[in-house]
Amino acid sequence: MHELGNFRSHLDAIAERLAARGFHLDVEAFRALDTKRRAVLTESEQLKAQRNAESMEIGKLKKAGADTAGQQQKVRETGERIAGLEEQVKAIEEDFRLQLASIPNVPHESVPVGRSAEDNVEVKKWGEPPAFGFEPKAHWDLGPELGVLDLERASKITGARFAVYWGPGARLERALINFMLDLHTREHGYTEVLPPFLINSASLYGTGQLPKFADDLFKCEKFDFWLAPTAEVPVTNLFRDETLDGGKLPLRLCAYTPCFRSEAGSYGRDVRGIIRQHQFQKVELVKFTRPEQSYDELESLTRAAEQVLERLGLPYRTVVLCTADMGFSSAKTYDIEVWMPGQNCYREISSCSNFEGFQARRANIRFRGAKGKTEYAHTLNGSGLAVGRTWVAIVENCQQADGSVAIPKALQPYMNAEVITKQGSLA
């Protein structure tokens, strides 16, 4: 959320930056509402001063034995008028809050201006796509052939966009989770946390999913519980309504959670395989920093996510998202895209974002500096990585001519195997 004072002071400049990401801010309507608010507040304060003066005068008249019935009636009428004005102010403030909650974050000045994802800018490329002496298969063919991925039974159990993993396919998913958590905690300085997978509305408001993106979420009937769409939500909200010690920032946390998304508006896209699922696993990286630290911390967070792919030997590229392709709460985002030979393209596997103070204002996350002053923290997060898509990348990049899949060396201790071969049927 935006800070109202800063919003007022820089309204035209903010509107221009928001326009670069395709959001139209009605400046005149905002100013008209703000003018009305100021007028109501001014009238209310003037009437309060008038009432105080009249009350003092009534006191003097009473001491003198004068009849003050008329003056007291006037003071009561003034009080009623003040109460009405305060209700107006309350309604206007709520209108402001709702308006500000619906306005996306302002892009950082370093974000390239663009109209679509086509205008994202590649900033790095690592590794070369593997050269096969055979026609590589997509994971939706190779996984079932190996007997490690079962989409038909998942559909029977639940519905479309769910998956069942068998044997080494399930072990590979678990190995990836453990490998990622170990790497980030042992080498990158993150503290592991296991948060609840069910979250309340206040948490989703704090990170910007509510109210705008309710249709993308799964809600539990009869409860104020939602299934977490990403660990970003529960982990960021660990410190909602708290004041952190600025001397201990940055805080670096990582968490494994299953993630649940309705994928509203994405039907017809990525319907094959497990690229876009309603349920998937992810290891998330979350940071809380002082404002002056946050962009250096964005670079190191992105680098930590990249190193997962490098340790696994998976080719990737990193792009900075243009203004039109950024998420609602982000001030700057890097997407890491891994090469998928079965699909002959790079696919997003991590988004690493700096939200600056946008989420912290919504969630009321502050820190106290050395001089005792409190201000809003900056929050950052990124996938480190999306586990299902990493599973896909390994199966497709490491497939061999005989239909088996070579396990990356970094995962062999977790798998206690070097290759995934065809599994016998259990049925």
Side-chain angles (χ1 to χ4, degrees):
M1 183 181 286
H2 302 275
E3 193 275 315
L4 185 56
N6 179 68
F7 210 77
R8 285 195 189 101
S9 301
H10 304 92
L11 189 56
D12 290 323
I14 289 173
E16 184 177 348
R17 288 298 292 166
L18 289 173
R21 62 178 298 166
F23 183 87
H24 172 67
L25 176 63
D26 192 334
V27 173
E28 294 308 314
F30 189 91
R31 284 200 172 111
L33 185 62
D34 196 25
T35 299
K36 181 180 179 181
R37 171 184 173 276
R38 290 172 184 266
V40 173
L41 280 172
T42 299
E43 183 180 355
S44 178
E45 293 302 316
Q46 289 174 344
L47 287 174
K48 287 177 182 178
Q50 177 184 320
R51 181 179 60 180
N52 290 340
E54 290 173 346
S55 296
M56 291 178 65
E57 182 63 23
I58 289 172
K60 293 177 182 178
L61 290 171
K62 281 185 175 182
K63 286 182 179 180
D67 181 8
T68 61
Q71 288 94 330
Q72 290 184 60
Q73 177 61 29
K74 185 177 178 182
V75 168
R76 283 193 292 271
E77 291 173 356
T78 301
E80 291 172 0
R81 174 61 180 160
I82 291 170
L85 290 171
E86 288 179 343
E87 285 299 313
Q88 287 187 50
V89 171
K90 185 178 178 181
I92 293 172
E93 292 285 4
E94 178 64 12
D95 197 357
F96 264 130
R97 189 189 71 80
L98 292 174
Q99 283 197 32
L100 289 174
S102 68
I103 297 171
N105 204 352
V106 177
H108 187 262
E109 60 187 12
S110 65
V111 173
V113 175
R115 296 184 177 182
S116 72
E118 298 297 318
D119 297 316
N120 295 340
V121 178
E122 182 180 297
V123 295
K124 180 179 181 180
K125 184 175 281 187
W126 185 92
E128 292 293 329
F132 297 99
F134 56 92
E135 185 68 27
K137 295 179 179 179
H139 70 280
W140 53 75
D141 292 323
L142 190 54
E145 288 176 9
L146 285 169
V148 299
L149 179 65
D150 192 335
L151 301 177
E152 291 184 6
R153 286 188 172 92
S155 180
K156 177 177 65 176
I157 295 168
T158 311
R161 297 196 175 188
F162 290 89
V164 170
Y165 300 90
W166 291 98
R171 276 205 311 280
L172 178 58
E173 185 93 355
R174 177 159 50 91
L176 283 167
I177 294 167
N178 289 331
F179 165 69
M180 292 174 190
L181 289 172
D182 286 346
L183 177 62
H184 296 314
T185 56
R186 295 173 182 175
E187 299 188 29
H188 298 153
Y190 286 81
T191 298
E192 183 177 352
V193 58
L194 183 62
F197 303 157
L198 290 171
I199 49 182
N200 57 30
S201 296
S203 296
L204 287 160
Y205 178 85
T207 46
Q209 281 81 12
L210 288 181
K212 187 176 178 62
F213 300 106
D215 288 345
D216 293 326
L217 308 170
F218 287 108
K219 191 174 192 309
C220 298
E221 189 177 359
K222 299 181 181 180
F223 297 93
D224 182 30
F225 291 155
W226 305 70
L227 300 182
T230 165
E232 166 199 347
V233 182
V235 176
T236 301
N237 279 276
L238 286 170
F239 299 111
R240 188 174 79 241
D241 297 323
E242 293 188 31
T243 300
L244 303 171
D245 181 352
K248 295 181 178 179
L249 299 181
L251 294 179
R252 302 180 179 95
L253 305 178
C254 68
Y256 151 75
T257 65
C259 305
F260 303 89
R261 299 182 186 176
S262 72
E263 296 293 348
S266 69
Y267 293 97
R269 295 171 55 199
D270 303 321
V271 294
R272 300 194 70 183
I274 58 172
I275 290 295
R276 194 176 298 274
Q277 296 278 280
H278 290 311
Q279 175 188 321
F280 59 96
Q281 281 62 249
K282 189 149 65 83
V283 170
E284 193 77 0
L285 308 176
V286 177
K287 291 185 179 183
F288 302 85
T289 79
R290 297 192 300 272
E292 68 272 16
Q293 301 171 315
S294 65
Y295 279 95
D296 287 340
E297 291 297 326
L298 175 61
E299 297 299 321
S300 68
L301 185 151
T302 305
R303 184 71 191 117
E306 290 173 340
Q307 285 185 18
V308 176
L309 293 174
E310 292 175 15
R311 296 292 180 91
L312 296 174
L314 299 173
Y316 70 88
R317 67 174 192 160
T318 302
V319 301
V320 58
L321 300 190
C322 72
T323 51
D325 201 30
M326 294 167 55
F328 177 80
S329 300
S330 175
K332 184 174 184 178
T333 297
Y334 291 109
D335 268 9
I336 303 171
E337 301 174 348
V338 68
W339 177 251
M340 302 287 198
Q343 301 157 63
N344 196 37
C345 66
Y346 286 96
R347 302 300 299 262
E348 177 205 332
I349 199 166
S350 174
S351 282
C352 302
S353 300
N354 185 355
F355 305 106
E356 297 185 354
F358 190 85
Q359 290 181 332
R361 279 188 289 272
R362 298 173 74 102
N364 191 29
I365 303 171
R366 300 171 182 263
F367 72 93
R368 192 179 305 279
K371 297 182 180 180
K373 180 183 177 182
T374 62
E375 57 182 300
Y376 289 109
H378 279 195
T379 62
L380 303 88
N381 80 268
S383 302
L385 299 165
V387 178
R389 293 192 179 194
T390 310
W391 190 100
V392 170
I394 289 172
V395 168
E396 293 195 2
N397 279 278
C398 301
Q399 61 183 293
Q400 302 182 106
D402 63 357
S404 64
V405 172
I407 299 170
K409 288 186 177 180
L411 291 180
Q412 290 177 10
Y414 294 90
M415 294 284 292
N416 195 29
E418 297 180 359
V419 65
I420 296 174
T421 56
K422 186 174 183 178
Q423 305 300 297
S425 175
L426 295 177

